[in-house]
């Protein structure tokens, strides 16, 4: 990959990350904040602070936040303020405990999400639409928020982005304790969501809605990432192995390994082509093989994970 291609890829990834985090912020602002529902992550903690401080801020401080155009449902400390301050502290912890390379991947996400959470989307919608944003019941809002936020985070993760927050806490826990990242994240999110029960207007319903958001969001993330990153393995048996190998290499742009084999019944030597590819590339590879040798014998199987050049970085899950 040339330097220009690397720059273009990096720019594309950063734009997609920004868009994914925008979807995440929209889900919170339009569907969760009005019902005082808290999902997981640093945004969930910031939302709890906003809910707990509604009507308690000095008038001057509230006017200051309003003058900056910060989104805040029913008053209280804007989510963007708490989110940024908290992540600033977490990033310092990240640099100390996890190193600068990991932290740099989170800094961009923290700044981008802080900016998106700042914007008062409901006010903007009402100004341009001429009427308030439609109100959904808490259950429907939780489902919609989970789907939209999950898709946004999936876009972020697939492009190697991060929103910081509890990702950092989970990494630190994983470093010192034999607890998987997934379990550490789940533990953090459940504690945050259950904390809504201690709010003045909190109830078991708010906790249940928060758990619904978490389940829908994580399921959406898993479905998207597994669909995008799922890889397949081909074993191809053909007398025209050299033509097929060249076609896959130069037209499908996938690496090919040719191994020696022997047909046990015929006792004749054969060449076996092995190819690792993304699932969405399977159709093109099948077409290339069929055009060259319609009688080729092909075995395709799903690969749980493929790491290395052209696939996921080693160690990425």
């Amino acid at each position: 990959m040339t330097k220009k291609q690397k720059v273009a890829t990096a720019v594309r990834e950063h734009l997609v990350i920004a868009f994914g985090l925008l979807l995440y912020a929209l889900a919170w602002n339009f569907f969760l904040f009005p019902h005082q529902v808290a999902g997981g992550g640093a945004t969930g903690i910031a939302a709890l602070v906003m809910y707990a401080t509604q009507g308690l801020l000095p008038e001057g401080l509230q006017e200051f936040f309003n003058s900056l155009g910060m989104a805040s449902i029913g008053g209280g400390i804007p989510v963007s303020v708490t989110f940024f301050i908290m992540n600033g502290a977490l990033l310092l912890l990240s640099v100390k405990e996890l190193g600068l390379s990991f932290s740099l991947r989170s800094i961009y996400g923290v700044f981008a999400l802080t900016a998106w959470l700042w914007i008062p989307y409901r006010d903007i919608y009402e100004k341009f639409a001429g009427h308030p944003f439609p109100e959904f019941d808490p259950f429907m809002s939780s489902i919609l928020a989970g789907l939209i936020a999950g898709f946004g985070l999936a876009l972020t993760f697939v492009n190697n982005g991060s929103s910081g927050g509890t990702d950092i806490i989970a990494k630190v826990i994983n470093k010192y304790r034999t607890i998987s990242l997934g379990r550490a994240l789940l533990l953090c999110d459940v504690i945050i969501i259950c904390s809504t029960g201690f709010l003045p207007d909190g109830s078991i319903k708010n906790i249940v809605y928060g758990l619904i958001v978490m389940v829908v969001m994580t399921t959406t993330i898993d479905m998207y990432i597994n669909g995008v990153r799922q890889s397949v393995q081909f074993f191809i048996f053909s007398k025209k192995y050299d033509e097929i190998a060249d076609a896959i290499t130069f037209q499908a742009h996938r690496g090919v390994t040719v191994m020696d084999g022997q047909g046990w019944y015929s006792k004749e030597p054969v060449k076996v082509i092995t190819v690792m590819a993304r699932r969405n590339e399977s159709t093109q590879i099948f077409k290339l093989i069929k055009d060259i040798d319609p009688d080729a014998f092909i075995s395709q199987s799903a690969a749980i994970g493929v790491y290395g050049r052209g696939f996921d970085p080693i160690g990425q899950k």
Side-chain angles (χ1 to χ4, degrees):
M1 184 181 292
T2 65
K3 184 177 180 180
K4 184 179 293 186
Q5 290 174 322
K6 289 181 179 180
V7 171
T9 300
V11 170
R12 181 189 60 80
E13 287 182 347
H14 281 73
L15 289 175
V16 175
I17 290 170
F19 177 69
L21 293 175
L22 171 60
L23 292 177
Y24 181 74
L26 290 172
W28 278 88
N29 275 272
F30 281 121
F31 301 107
L32 297 184
F33 292 158
H35 298 292
Q36 296 202 24
V37 174
T43 315
I45 298 175
L48 289 174
V49 173
M50 182 180 70
Y51 302 150
T53 56
Q54 288 177 346
L56 300 179
L57 298 182
E59 185 177 345
L61 182 59
Q62 188 65 65
E63 290 178 354
F64 173 72
F65 287 143
N66 293 338
S67 67
L68 294 176
M70 292 183 169
S72 179
I73 305 297
I77 298 176
V79 170
S80 55
V81 174
T82 308
F83 179 84
F84 186 75
I85 293 174
M86 183 171 55
N87 273 284
L90 288 173
L91 286 172
L92 292 176
L93 175 65
S94 175
V95 171
K96 178 182 177 182
E97 298 292 340
L98 306 174
L100 183 60
S101 59
F102 172 82
S103 305
L104 287 175
R105 294 196 298 269
S106 301
I107 291 173
Y108 173 77
V110 168
F111 275 92
L113 187 51
T114 299
W116 294 138
L117 290 171
W118 184 306
I119 301 172
Y121 299 100
R122 297 178 72 87
D123 295 340
I124 294 173
Y125 178 91
E126 184 172 353
K127 180 179 179 180
F128 284 94
H131 57 82
F133 185 77
E135 292 293 340
F136 296 89
D137 65 82
F139 178 75
M140 183 61 69
S141 294
S142 300
I143 297 295
L144 290 172
L147 290 171
I148 297 172
F151 179 62
L153 287 181
L155 288 176
T156 301
F157 296 153
V158 165
N159 287 274
N160 302 313
S162 170
S163 60
T166 51
D167 293 355
I168 297 172
I169 298 175
K171 280 277 189 180
V172 174
I173 293 175
N174 177 252
K175 179 180 179 180
Y176 292 103
R177 295 287 185 271
T178 55
I179 301 176
S180 67
L181 287 176
R183 185 173 298 179
L185 283 169
L186 179 64
L187 178 63
C188 291
D189 289 346
V190 169
I191 292 174
I192 294 167
I193 292 170
C194 290
S195 298
T196 56
F198 297 100
L199 295 174
D201 297 328
S203 66
I204 189 66
K205 289 183 179 180
N206 297 82
I207 297 175
V208 172
Y209 292 140
L211 293 173
I212 290 172
V213 173
M214 183 185 71
V215 171
V216 175
M217 184 166 61
T218 53
T219 302
T220 302
I221 292 172
D222 288 344
M223 288 179 64
Y224 182 86
I225 291 179
N226 290 338
V228 171
R229 287 182 170 169
Q230 186 174 0
S231 301
V232 293
Q233 183 179 43
F234 286 95
F235 286 106
I236 306 164
F237 301 80
S238 172
K239 294 182 179 179
K240 298 181 179 180
Y241 66 90
D242 50 349
E243 297 179 48
I244 293 174
D246 284 341
I248 295 174
T249 300
F250 299 110
Q251 296 182 48
H253 304 290
R254 276 301 176 191
V256 174
T257 300
V258 179
M259 302 181 294
D260 291 319
Q262 181 180 357
W264 193 248
Y265 178 78
S266 64
K267 299 298 189 290
E268 294 182 358
V270 295
K271 295 291 186 180
V272 183
I273 303 172
T274 304
V275 181
M276 301 300 301
R278 296 293 190 190
R279 187 179 63 176
N280 56 10
E281 297 170 327
S282 299
T283 302
Q284 181 187 12
I285 292 176
F286 272 112
K287 186 177 183 304
L288 291 173
I289 298 171
K290 183 178 179 180
D291 291 343
I292 296 172
D293 185 4
D295 297 321
F297 183 84
I298 307 169
S299 170
Q300 176 187 340
S301 58
I304 295 176
V306 181
Y307 304 95
R309 185 175 181 181
F311 292 89
D312 297 330
I314 297 175
Q316 180 175 316
K317 297 182 180 180

